[in-house]
Amino acid sequence: MNWRKWLDEFVLAGKGILLATKEKRFWYGFIPSFIFFGTLMNMLSGGFAKFELMGILGFPKCLEIPLQSFLAIFGVNQPFLDWLPIFAISILQGILIGLIVLLWGKKRQKADSTDSANLEKAGIITGLIALGAGCPTCGATLLTPLIGAIFSTGGLAITGAVSTIVTWLAIIIAILSLKRLGEETYVTIVNEKYLRKKEAREKSA
């Protein structure tokens, strides 16, 4: 493998992401995704217990739970080891959706099947994140009931290991997806700027 070429591609993808942050459409995708996935992962950190508690509390008391989960995205009342992976994954997922929204907007006039493929990949990452979401220090995860039913002893330890593997798998897929989408975004935006300048020169000639 050509590591220099691999590194150059990541640098190009990073430039594409930086260019994307200057576009309003990127933020239309990033902000809602970041908030939604961050809040959801914090709510799922103990399995479905928080959802069950919301049903017990009733309205409007139940709204305190999603509010606390939202604040937890920014580390409020969260242990560092619990906060960091959820925050990192929320950022990655937000950027991924932001780039997809941006590219979709720029290419919606063209027949392009890559957007649906990108959305499918984002969905796969979301599923992995949901399964792996949990408390790193206690091993709580959505996988707990399933693994607990299979293994009567040592289930929590196994769940913690599997949760960690699934979470890292989601992060790796997200980074690889961002690499490709970042490169595509860079090429798209630079080409768009070039065509605008070319058109301006032709009009002024």
Side-chain angles (χ1 to χ4, degrees), residues 36-70:
F36 174 76
F37 288 108
T39 302
L40 180 62
M41 283 189 290
N42 279 307
M43 291 187 69
L44 292 173
S45 61
F48 291 102
K50 290 183 180 179
F51 290 95
E52 293 173 357
L53 181 59
M54 287 177 65
I56 295 172
L57 293 175
F59 187 84
K61 193 73 174 176
C62 64
L63 297 179
E64 292 181 6
I65 294 177
L67 176 60
Q68 291 170 0
S69 297
F70 167 74

Side-chain angles (χ1 to χ4, degrees), residues 128-148:
L128 289 172
I129 288 171
L131 282 175
C135 170
T137 56
C138 67
T141 170
L142 288 181
L143 296 171
T144 300
L146 176 61
I147 295 179

Side-chain angles (χ1 to χ4, degrees), residues 88-146:
I89 293 174
S90 299
I91 289 286
L92 290 173
Q93 184 74 6
I95 294 174
L96 181 63
I97 298 296
L99 292 179
I100 292 173
V101 171
L102 176 62
L103 289 172
W104 176 81
K106 290 184 177 298
K107 295 181 177 183
R108 64 175 182 266
Q109 301 299 331
K110 302 176 183 180
D112 196 332
S113 62
T114 58
D115 291 326
S116 60
N118 290 334
L119 286 170
E120 288 175 7
K121 189 168 292 186
I124 292 172
I125 296 169
T126 301
L128 289 172
I129 288 171
L131 282 175
C135 170
T137 56
C138 67
T141 170
L142 288 181
L143 296 171
T144 300
L146 176 61

